[in-house]
Every structure is written in C-alpha cells, then in structure tokens.
C-alpha cells in the first residue's frame, strides 16, 4: 500500500468533486428531462437543416439579435408550424414518436420526439417531397417538387438537397442514403451542441452548489493537509465509492447511454445525498447558518428559595454538559458509519470480510448506532427542556443556551443567561454575502474552481478516483478491454417506383392527331422570334366550332412569318394566328390584399404590389380557415422559389388578416394559401370546382369574377380551354415564365378579343355562368386574360389535395 499525505489530499478532493459532480449530474438530468432539452435540441437541429434561418428573413439587426437569444434558450417560434421543419414534425411518422401533445403553453416535454431514426428522417422527407410533386415515378415527383420548390425550402437548403438529388443517378434508394448521411452528420454536430449546453448548465448548477454548501476547493485542500483524522475518513469513504458497481456501470462510464444514466436518477439521489452528508460533516462544509445567532446575556431576578436555587443549578449543569459531549458523540458515530459503509459495500460485491476485525465492526456498528441514538435522543430532550425553561424566564426565543451564572443575594438572586438567539433571514443573507465577496479573492477563487471542477462531470471524476485509488493500492482491477465491434453495413429501405434503367423504352399514352400537329408546329416555329404560344383551339360560330391550331404572335411581323411558313393550314387543321402583346401578371398597388412588406415606408425595391383575394378554403385535419390568391400576390419579394416568411398578408387598410402557409409558382399554377387569423368567412358559391372543357369553348360559356381593380365582371367568355404560354408571362421581376395548361377568357368588342381584367385583379376567382368555380386569374395580354385551372390546383391526386373550397 502506498500512503502519502499529498496523494490522500488529492483523493479527498477528487472524492468531494465526484460526490458533488454526481449530484450535479443528477440535477442536470432532472432539469434536462423537465425542460425537454433533448427534444428541443433535436428540433433546433431539424429546424437548422430544413428552415435555414427562416425567421431572420426581412428582419432588422435588433430582431435578429432577439431571434438569436430565443434560439439560444431553445424557444420555439410561434410560426414554426408554417415552416418546412414544422410540417416535418406534423407528419404522422414523426408526430407519433412523441409521448403526447403539448399540454400547456409552457410545457416543454412530450410534444416532440427526443430521437429520430435516420431511416425515418429520410423516408419522411421523401414522402413530403413526393406528395408535393407530379410525375409517373417517385423520382419524377421529387424532381418536380425540387424544381418548383413546392415545399418552400430556403435557398441554401434546397441547393444542397438538389445537389444530393442530382448525384443520386435517378435512383431513389441512393437519394435516401444521401439524406440519411446528411442527417447523421447533422446529428453529430447536434450532439456537440447538446454537450456544450449541458456543460453550461452543469457549471451553473455547480456554482450554485458551491455557493450554497461553501465548497471551497482551496479551503478543503488546506484542511485535509493538516487534519489527519478527516483525511483518513475521506480516504476510507473514497475506497468504498471506488468499489460501487452502481456508479461504475452508470455515471462512471462515459459511454453509458443517457437514458441509462437518467433511469437511475431517482434511486441514486438518496444514495449520493448520504455520502455528501457524511463528507460535509467530516470537512465541516456549509455556511453554518443554522448555528449563527446573536449573542445575548439576559439577567433574570428570581426568589432565593432553596428549590429555585437547586433548579437553577440543574439548569446550568445541563446547559454546560450537553454541548461538551454532543460533538464527541457525533464524531464517534461518523467513524462507525464510515466503517459500516465500507464493509457493507464488500458484502454487496459478494466479497466477505477477510478478517475477524471486519466482522466485529459490522456487529459493533449496529450496537453502537442503537446506543448513540438512545443517548443522543435523551440529551436532545433534556436540552429542549432547558431551552424551553430559559425562553420562559427571559421571554426570548433561544436556540442555543450557553453558560448560566447565578449570583446569590440575601433577598433574591440574579441569574445571568448567556446564549444565542436566531439570525433573521436578512442577517443570514448579509453573512453569506460577506463570506463570499468580502473575505478576499481566495475564497471566491476556491468556489469558482469548484464550479469548474463540477462542470467536468461525474464520469471524469469517477475515472480519476478509480485510477488514483488503484495507485494507492486499494482500487479495483481495470476492466478487460472491449472486444472489437463488428460493423455491418446494410442497405437502406427499398422504396417503390424505381425509374427504369437508361435505354429502357417506356410506353407512352397515344396522342391524337391535333396534339401531334400542335407539337410539330411548335418545333417548326422554334426559330421565329416573337411566337408567344401554339396550342389547340377552336374557331367558328357558337355551337359549331372546329379544331384549329391557335398561334399567338407578339406583332404583325411575327404573324406574317408564321403565315408564310404554314400557309392557311397545317396537317389538315386551320390556323388561327392572333397578334397580341406579351402577357403580364396583373399586379398593382393599393387594393384588397398584399404582403405586409408592401406596407413598409419606403417600400422595398422587391415589392410585388397587390392583388385580389380569390376565395376561402378549408384544409384536411385543420379547424382553421384559409384564403387563396396568386403566389406572386401573397409573396413579399421576388424570391418565387422559396418561402422566406413568415409572410403576413394585410387588407387594403393595413390590417393583418392571414399568414402564408403554402403555394408555388410552377408551369401550370400560380397559387398561394394563407391561414386566416379569424374564421366564419363564407363564399358566394355553393358548388365545388369543375374542369374547363372544349364544350365550354364551343358554347361560348360566359364567366364572372370580381377583381379589386375591375370590380364585378360578368360577360367574358371562355376562348380556349388549354393554353400554354411558351413565350412566357412577364412577372414583376422582369422574368418571363412559361405557363402551361391555362385557360383563356376574353370579351368580344366589335368582334375583337379584349382582356376583361386589369392590373390588381390577380388572384380573382373565376366562376362560370352557373356560379361554379373554374380557376384563379393570373395575368393578361392585349387580347386575353389567363386563368390557372382549379382542376390542376385542387386535383384529388394533386399537390394541394388536402385543400377544398369552403361551401
């Protein structure tokens, strides 16, 4: 055995750090569990992956600082549910991993899962993208989603996901593997964030314990270096702790899973508290606030009868003797309890005491405990009687009675009672403050060193104690090395709809002769500048119209080139060449609804202007009500490809009425959805949408809409049931975007087609003569107004199938 004073001092210090480190670890686990740290840190990581500073969009410096503070304290933003990460957590595959719903506004746990499997993450994200896409295969749908960003990823996020998609060789399993790798890498960083957060919490709790229990590392080291008895007791206790299998298999193992450590929190708290109490008694830790009091000396005049004298004599003897032997009893009792703990630990390890002395100590400990308990209780009752009598004589509240002097006189006697009356709370606070901050820098340094030591964690100090005790010659044998773990690489889950390999021919649906003629006409006109669209159309009188190829030209020169190229017909179909200007989105300032950014003064350079509220819709699984309009109306900037929100929608008077939650600008739709702040809004129609057909064109079906600029319009007719604006519709950012499968409406003024809408009408709901919804007005040129079909937007198998018109 290797005994050394310096080594024993180190062992004592390490033991103190370990015991209080265990308490800090237990408290940290309890606080982390109550606050839901794991759930909230995971949510923050998912939010960072999928939202990419979603809430900082358009925010000023002060607001960004406030957002950073909220993120540091893991506070969930109120509009989190509108973001991609919020939708991710709303998916059933993620939602039902949590224990339950959030009970109250201030609840931290149960509402979100604390762990998500990489496979679950990848499959959930793939399902989300697939549901917001179109195509024959899953990869086609995902490609559509990423092309038009129908899920509203932020720009940097979607750039990374698109890169992973492009590198997947059009194989959905490869794409899932890349998403899982991305998730695993992010989780590794999240683990680092979590450990740093827990270390900060451990330091705060450690500092609180150091200040509460007066755990001054420097003072403890000085005491142990000069007090052989206290040093020996701590070393014996340290040897017992080093043999504790419960600690070795949980908090002493840095690789133990967090759930295993947290599982023994309740059972360990009492266990650790007992050891801490014993160490505190040996070292005299604590501020001794219960022993502090105001020194008083009361003089009491009493009658000098013999009975009174003897009573006062007994009172003095009792007060003087109780304090003199109570400290000795406590110290003796602590020695037996330390020995008792050591040998009982040996029994728990199935190691029988190897000497007669050990067995005798176990037998004597129980006897001495019973004797000391009876003796101590008797002395305590006697002492309480003394204090009660003194309180009666003096009229004060004593908690400790010191020496009692009596002065005998012929007529009466004087009794001088010395003792302590309790400190008030204010006096205790002043004493504590002066002890910490008024006793010099050495005391404060010792407390800070303790806090830093406790923040290192119980596993660190347990490992340190085991090694030092082993050096001293009383430690446990080192654990055998772990066998190498075999790493088995398994492939990801098999998903459906794998696209065909390159070179494999896929059957295409047959096309009619008119469709083939239109496609060939587009190919032949590819070299003619100014061709805006080439589609199948109808021409003739109402009720007897015939199929034609409808071509829109930007000017007369372009129209002449087209007629020269084709003549009067092409592939047995007549030509209907119309000269009109390029179509533009119908936005303007100051009407009906707009994004909140439009109300700022001066308005941003990316201001889109305003438009019209289309109608009210409802959503599956939600009790809220929504409005629909064009995406370019609801957006507050020209970043069409991402939802930089939360975007707030206002009415013409500047009142906030809704928050944008969904929508996109793709080839066949320009649609946005915003959740209304209120409810109870009604539409004027009573039927769901229907498709626009060629018969509507043949019968010159009239339509109606109400725009914020044009007001009520009731006399336009459907001119073409399917128009593809290949020349592009001009948006406020100056970009011409191709729109397909729109339908066009017009008013015939002296036989000349004239657009029925004006700037500010974007977003208007277009209905037929029977008050049945058909589409959402997007823009117009010099002849026609173009409308996005509700059959594309709200199709039962479409990307917004969860929305229905409110009727």
């Amino acid at each position: 055995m290797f005994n050394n004073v310096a080594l024993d001092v180190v062992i004592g210090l390490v033991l103190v750090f370990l015991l209080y480190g265990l308490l800090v670890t237990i408290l940290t686990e309890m606080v982390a569990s109550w606050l839901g740290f794991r759930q909230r840190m995971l949510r923050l990581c998912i939010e960072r992956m999928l939202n990419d500073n979603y809430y900082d969009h358009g925010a000023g410096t002060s607001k960004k600082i406030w957002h950073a503070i909220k993120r540091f304290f893991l506070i969930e933003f109120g509009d989190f549910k509108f973001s991609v990460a919020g939708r991710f957590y709303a998916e059933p595959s993620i939602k039902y991993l949590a224990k339950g719903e959030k009970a109250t506004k201030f609840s931290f746990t149960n509402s979100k899962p604390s762990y998500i499997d990489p496979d679950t993450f990848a499959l959930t994200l793939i399902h989300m993208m697939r549901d917001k896409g179109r195509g024959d295969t899953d990869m086609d749908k995902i490609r559509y989603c990423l092309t038009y960003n129908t899920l509203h990823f932020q720009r940097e996020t979607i750039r990374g996901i698109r890169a992973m998609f492009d590198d997947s060789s059009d194989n959905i399993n490869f794409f899932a593997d890349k998403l899982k790798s991305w998730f695993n890498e992010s989780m590794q960083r999240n683990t680092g964030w979590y450990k740093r957060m827990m270390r900060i919490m451990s330091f705060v709790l450690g500092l609180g314990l150091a200040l509460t229990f007066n755990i001054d590392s420097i003072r403890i080291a000085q005491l142990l270096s000069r007090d052989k008895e206290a040093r020996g007791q701590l070393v014996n206790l340290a040897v017992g702790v080093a043999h504790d299998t419960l600690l070795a298999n949980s908090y002493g193992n840095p690789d133990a899973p967090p759930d295993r450590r947290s599982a023994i929190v309740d059972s360990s708290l009492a266990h650790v508290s007992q050891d801490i109490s014993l160490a505190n008694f040996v070292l005299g830790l604590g501020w001794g606030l219960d022993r502090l009091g105001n020194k008083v000396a009361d003089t009491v005049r009493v009658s000098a009868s013999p009975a009174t004298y003897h009573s006062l004599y007994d009172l003095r003897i009792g007060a003087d003797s109780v304090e003199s032997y109570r400290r000795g009893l406590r110290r003796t009792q602590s020695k037996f309890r330390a020995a008792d703990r050591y040998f009982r630990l040996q029994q728990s390890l199935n190691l029988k005491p190897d000497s007669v002395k050990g067995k005798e100590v176990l037998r004597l400990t129980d006897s001495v405990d019973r004797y000391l308990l009876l003796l101590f209780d008797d002395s305590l009752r006697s002492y309480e009687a003394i204090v009660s009598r003194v309180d009666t004589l003096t009229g004060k509240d004593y908690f400790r009675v010191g020496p009692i002097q009596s002065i005998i006189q012929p007529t009466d006697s004087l009794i001088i009672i010395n003792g302590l009356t309790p400190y008030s709370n204010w006096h205790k606070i002043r004493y504590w403050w002066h002890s910490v901050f008024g006793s010099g820098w050495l005391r404060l340094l010792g407390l800070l060193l303790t806090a830093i030591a406790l923040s290192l964690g119980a596993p660190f100090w347990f490992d340190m104690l085991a090694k030092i005790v082993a050096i001293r010659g009383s430690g446990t044998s080192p654990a055998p090395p772990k066998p190498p773990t075999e790493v088995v690489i398994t492939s990801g889950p098999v998903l459906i709809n794998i696209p065909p390999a390159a070179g494999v021919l896929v059957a295409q649906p047959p096309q009619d002769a008119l469709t083939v003629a239109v496609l060939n006409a587009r190919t032949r006109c590819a070299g003619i500048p100014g061709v805006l669209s080439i589609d199948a159309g109808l021409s003739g009188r109402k009720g007897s119209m015939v199929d034609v190829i409808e071509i829109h030209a930007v000017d007369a020169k372009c129209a002449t080139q087209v007629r020269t190229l084709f003549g009067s017909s092409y592939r047995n179909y007549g030509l209907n060449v119309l000269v009109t200007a390029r179509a533009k989105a119908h936005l303007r300032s100051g009407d009906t609804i707009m994004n909140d950014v439009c109300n700022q003064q001066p308005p941003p350079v990316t201001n889109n202007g305003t438009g019209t509220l289309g109608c009210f819709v409802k959503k599956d699984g939600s009790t809220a009500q929504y409005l629909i309009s064009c995406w370019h109306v609801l957006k507050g900037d020209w970043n069409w490809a991402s939802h930089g929100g939360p975007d707030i929608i206002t009415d013409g008077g500047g009142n906030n009425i809704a928050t944008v939650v969904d929508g996109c600008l793709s080839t066949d739709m320009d649609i946005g959805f915003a959740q209304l702040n209120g409810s109870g809004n009604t539409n004027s129609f009573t039927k769901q949408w229907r498709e626009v057909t060629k018969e509507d064109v043949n019968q010159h079906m009239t339509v109606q809409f109400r725009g914020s600029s044009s007001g009520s319009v009731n006399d336009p007719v459907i001119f073409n049931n399917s128009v593809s604006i290949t020349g592009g519709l001009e948006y406020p950012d100056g970009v011409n975007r191709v729109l397909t499968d729109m339908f066009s409406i017009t008013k015939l003024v002296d036989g000349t087609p004239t657009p029925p809408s004006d700037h500010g009408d974007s977003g208007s709901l277009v209905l037929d003569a029977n008050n049945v919804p058909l589409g959402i007005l997007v823009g117009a040129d010099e002849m026609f107004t173009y409308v996005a079909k509700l059959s594309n937007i709200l199709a039962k198998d479409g990307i917004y199938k969860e929305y229905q018109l409110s009727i």
Side-chain angles (χ1 to χ4, degrees):
M1 177 162 309
F2 180 68
N3 291 314
N4 182 274
V5 174
L7 185 61
D8 288 351
V9 170
V10 173
I11 291 176
L13 272 175
V14 171
L15 175 65
V16 172
F17 293 153
L18 171 60
L19 294 179
Y20 278 99
L22 285 169
L23 183 58
V24 167
T25 302
I26 292 173
L27 293 177
T28 302
E29 291 285 350
M30 294 173 67
V31 173
S33 177
W34 176 66
L35 293 178
F37 261 29
R38 297 186 187 280
Q39 296 94 318
R40 297 166 76 187
M41 289 295 291
L42 177 60
R43 189 217 76 223
L44 186 66
C45 181
I46 297 293
E47 188 175 349
R48 181 72 179 89
M49 293 174 66
L50 301 181
N51 287 355
D52 193 22
N53 295 329
Y54 167 82
Y55 300 102
D56 289 340
H57 174 76
T61 303
S62 59
K63 199 169 185 179
K64 287 182 178 179
I65 293 175
W66 173 239
H67 289 172
I69 294 174
K70 292 181 71 174
R71 278 191 289 266
F72 178 80
F73 288 103
L74 308 179
I75 299 175
E76 182 178 314
F77 289 79
D79 294 320
F80 172 75
K81 61 183 179 181
F82 298 132
S83 65
V84 181
R87 295 182 180 186
F88 176 84
Y89 271 101
E91 287 290 310
S93 58
I94 303 298
K95 177 181 179 180
Y96 296 117
L97 293 177
K99 293 181 180 179
E101 297 292 339
K102 193 170 184 177
T104 65
K105 181 179 180 181
F106 301 100
S107 298
F108 300 111
T109 58
N110 297 338
S111 61
K112 289 181 173 60
S114 58
Y115 174 77
I116 296 176
D117 186 82
D119 289 338
T120 303
F121 170 83
L123 290 176
T124 301
L125 199 57
I126 286 175
H127 291 163
M128 291 176 65
M129 290 185 285
R130 185 186 62 188
D131 290 345
K132 289 297 182 183
R134 287 182 171 181
D136 298 327
T137 67
D138 283 346
M139 290 300 278
D140 289 339
K141 295 175 181 178
I142 295 172
R143 183 179 293 105
Y144 182 98
C145 174
L146 295 178
T147 301
Y148 302 110
N149 197 11
T150 54
L151 265 181
H152 307 151
F153 292 109
Q154 299 304 294
R155 276 176 286 190
E156 295 302 321
T157 302
I158 197 170
R159 182 186 301 175
I161 297 178
R162 283 171 177 167
M164 287 185 276
F165 182 84
D166 293 339
D167 293 340
S168 299
S169 303
D170 213 24
N171 187 309
I172 197 168
N173 290 319
F174 292 168
F175 183 49
D177 289 339
K178 291 184 180 298
L179 290 176
K180 285 187 287 185
S181 298
W182 179 37
F183 179 77
N184 286 329
E185 291 173 1
S186 299
M187 286 302 102
Q188 291 177 1
R189 292 177 175 85
N190 185 59
T191 300
W193 300 339
Y194 180 80
K195 288 181 178 179
R196 284 195 292 272
M197 183 67 71
M198 297 295 282
R199 193 172 295 118
I200 292 174
M201 185 189 297
S202 297
F203 175 79
V204 173
L205 291 175
L207 184 59
L209 289 177
L211 293 173
T212 301
F213 294 101
N214 190 20
I215 315 171
D216 182 348
S217 299
I218 297 176
R219 187 172 69 87
I220 293 173
Q222 293 172 343
L223 183 147
L224 290 176
S225 63
R226 61 175 181 264
D227 191 333
K228 180 179 179 181
E229 187 176 357
R231 188 170 64 244
Q233 292 184 51
L234 280 193
V235 169
N236 290 334
L237 181 60
V239 172
V241 171
H243 286 82
D244 197 324
T245 55
L246 175 65
L247 301 180
N249 293 328
S250 55
Y251 290 108
N253 181 9
D255 298 325
D259 55 345
R260 184 176 179 183
R261 295 201 302 269
S262 60
I264 64 166
V265 164
D266 294 336
S267 61
S268 298
L269 186 56
H271 187 67
V272 173
S273 299
Q274 180 182 356
D275 292 337
I276 288 177
S277 299
L278 184 58
N280 286 353
F281 177 76
V282 173
L283 296 171
L285 298 182
W287 297 105
L289 296 178
D290 58 333
R291 300 189 297 273
L292 295 176
N294 302 298
K295 292 183 178 181
V296 293
D298 287 313
T299 302
V300 181
R301 190 179 298 275
V302 298
S303 173
S305 65
T308 302
Y309 176 79
H310 288 295
S311 176
L312 295 176
Y313 179 80
D314 293 339
L315 185 67
R316 183 184 64 188
I317 295 300
D320 291 344
S321 61
V322 168
E323 286 297 320
S324 64
Y325 66 76
R326 186 167 60 175
R327 288 189 295 271
L329 291 178
R330 283 183 175 176
R331 185 172 292 274
T332 302
Q333 189 182 34
S334 68
K335 291 181 180 180
F336 277 96
R337 284 183 177 175
D340 173 71
R341 173 182 170 79
Y342 175 71
F343 287 107
R344 289 188 187 280
L345 278 173
Q346 283 192 325
Q347 285 185 335
S348 67
L349 295 169
N350 294 324
L351 299 175
K352 296 182 179 180
D354 55 0
S355 65
V356 177
K357 179 181 178 181
K359 298 178 181 179
E360 187 67 16
V361 168
L362 287 177
R363 185 182 65 80
L364 290 177
T365 298
D366 294 333
S367 300
V368 171
D369 274 346
R370 287 193 295 270
Y371 171 75
L372 292 179
L373 180 62
L374 292 174
L375 186 61
F376 185 74
D377 284 350
D378 289 341
S379 65
L380 181 60
R381 285 193 292 269
S382 301
Y383 190 65
E384 289 176 347
I386 294 170
V387 174
S388 176
R389 180 128 184 234
V390 167
D391 290 345
T392 303
L393 289 174
T394 61
K396 294 183 178 180
D397 181 19
Y398 276 76
F399 78 91
R400 179 164 300 175
V401 178
I404 301 177
Q405 301 172 351
S406 58
I407 302 176
I408 307 300
Q409 297 181 353
T411 56
D412 53 13
S413 299
L414 296 178
I415 302 174
I416 302 175
I417 302 175
N418 298 284
L420 299 176
T421 57
Y423 262 8
S424 66
N425 291 333
W426 173 245
H427 283 98
K428 291 179 180 179
I429 293 174
R430 289 182 60 187
Y431 174 82
W432 175 85
W433 182 268
H434 181 268
S435 299
V436 175
F437 301 101
S439 301
W441 62 269
L442 200 61
R443 168 66 66 85
L444 190 58
L445 177 62
L447 296 174
L448 288 175
L449 288 175
T450 300
I452 295 173
L454 299 185
S455 68
L456 296 177
F460 174 84
W461 292 115
F462 190 90
D463 184 60
M464 180 70 70
L465 180 65
K467 291 179 180 178
I468 297 177
V469 170
I471 293 175
R472 193 176 183 275
S474 300
T476 58
S477 301
K482 296 180 180 180
T485 303
E486 181 181 359
V487 179
V488 179
I489 301 176
T490 59
S491 59
V494 178
L495 305 178
I496 60 173
N497 290 337
I498 304 300
V504 177
L505 297 179
V506 180
Q508 299 293 333
Q511 297 176 333
D512 58 57
L514 180 58
T515 301
V516 173
V518 169
L519 294 176
N520 289 335
R522 288 176 182 173
T523 303
R524 294 193 63 182
C525 290
I528 301 177
V531 175
L532 300 177
S533 65
I534 302 177
D535 292 283
L538 291 176
S539 180
R541 295 185 177 185
K542 177 179 178 181
S544 59
M545 305 183 76
V546 296
D547 292 327
V548 295
I549 299 176
E550 181 179 316
I551 302 176
H552 293 187
V554 72
D555 52 30
K557 179 181 179 181
C558 176
T560 301
Q561 288 181 290
V562 170
R563 292 190 181 97
T564 302
L565 177 63
F566 291 109
S568 59
S569 65
Y570 179 67
R571 293 205 173 187
N572 298 322
Y573 292 101
L575 298 179
N576 187 14
V577 182
L578 302 171
V579 177
T580 182
R582 189 179 301 277
K584 295 183 179 181
H586 266 176
L587 284 170
R588 75 168 193 173
S589 298
D591 281 321
T592 307
I593 64 171
M594 66 187 76
N595 192 288
D596 182 53
V597 73
C598 304
N599 290 326
Q600 300 178 18
Q601 297 296 330
V605 295
T606 56
N607 176 19
N608 291 334
T610 60
T612 303
L613 188 157
C615 65
F616 304 110
V617 297
K618 57 186 178 180
K619 183 180 181 181
D620 292 342
S622 174
T623 58
Q625 196 171 30
Y626 302 81
L627 65 83
I628 59 175
S629 185
C630 286
W631 184 240
H632 68 268
V633 171
L634 299 184
K635 286 293 294 178
D637 56 26
W638 291 338
N639 183 23
W640 311 107
S642 69
H643 181 32
D647 288 312
I648 305 301
I649 303 304
T650 65
D651 59 14
N655 301 309
N656 293 351
I657 61 172
T659 302
V660 178
V661 296
D662 222 335
C664 72
L665 175 56
S666 66
T667 54
D668 58 358
M669 66 182 72
D670 181 349
I671 189 68
F673 300 82
Q675 181 175 318
L676 289 162
N677 297 335
S679 60
N681 301 284
T682 58
N683 293 313
S684 61
F685 51 85
T686 58
K687 297 181 179 180
Q688 288 291 344
W689 56 268
R690 71 170 180 85
E691 294 186 5
V692 180
T693 65
K694 292 179 66 173
E695 188 60 24
D696 293 325
V697 181
N698 188 33
Q699 296 299 328
H700 290 185
M701 171 65 72
T702 59
V703 297
Q704 55 184 315
F705 65 88
R706 181 177 180 83
S708 62
S709 179
S710 301
S712 296
V713 180
N714 301 308
D715 54 350
V717 297
I718 299 176
F719 189 84
N720 196 324
N721 65 301
S722 180
V723 178
S724 296
I725 311 174
T726 53
L729 184 143
E730 183 179 338
Y731 278 84
D733 57 358
V735 176
N736 300 322
R737 290 175 169 81
V738 174
L739 295 180
T740 62
D741 199 22
M742 315 291 281
F743 73 92
S744 60
I745 60 176
T746 188
K747 289 197 300 185
L748 297 175
V749 179
D750 297 330
T752 302
T754 303
S757 62
D758 202 349
H759 293 286
D761 292 337
S762 287
S764 300
L765 181 70
V766 178
L767 306 97
D768 67 12
N770 299 317
N771 213 35
V772 178
L774 300 177
I776 298 295
L777 193 152
V778 176
D781 54 28
E782 292 181 348
M783 288 187 171
F784 306 103
T785 292
Y786 299 98
V787 186
K789 298 178 180 178
L790 288 177
S791 57
N792 289 333
I793 298 170
L794 301 179
K796 294 182 179 180
D797 59 347
I799 61 178
Y800 300 118
K801 54 182 175 294
E802 66 270 29
Y803 294 96
Q804 297 90 35
L805 300 177
S806 297
I807 55 175

